[in-house]
Amino acid sequence: MLEKLKNADKVVGTRRLLRAIRAGEIAEAYVARDADLFILRQVRQACNEAGVRMVEVDTMKQLGEACGIEVKTASAGIKR
């Protein structure tokens, strides 16, 4: 599941992801289960409104590694 993120054209970070979802640029969004509840709600709501599939990942560390960055991240998305 996270293999797709490694080589895909992506956005990393909640602010960038939310902006891209609202602009219709995201095919699939990823969010970490251990992220702040406020972030989870924001991403879930934006995905529901835009009809974007949301995938939950266990930890922010796993998501960051899958994105190829050295820090944790709460959310990311694959561009269309």
Side-chain angles (χ1 to χ4, degrees):
M1 164 177 60
L2 290 177
E3 290 298 316
K4 284 196 244 179
L5 266 173
K6 290 186 181 186
N7 300 317
D9 186 18
K10 61 189 161 283
V11 295
V12 179
T14 304
R15 223 179 259 157
R16 291 181 65 203
L17 176 63
L18 291 172
R19 207 173 302 131
I21 289 171
R22 291 180 184 125
E25 300 171 356
I26 299 297
E28 193 170 67
Y30 293 81
V31 67
R33 287 187 185 109
D34 65 342
D36 186 85
L37 191 56
F38 179 71
I39 290 172
L40 289 169
R41 282 188 195 140
Q42 280 187 306
V43 174
R44 187 173 290 124
Q45 181 179 358
C47 286
N48 286 339
E49 289 172 2
V52 173
R53 180 173 178 253
M54 188 180 93
V55 177
E56 290 191 9
V57 179
D58 288 332
T59 66
M60 293 191 305
K61 183 177 181 189
Q62 282 179 325
L63 189 53
E65 289 172 357
C67 291
I69 59 175
E70 295 182 16
V71 293
K72 298 175 184 179
T73 187
S75 61
I78 296 176
K79 289 187 170 186
R80 294 188 187 270

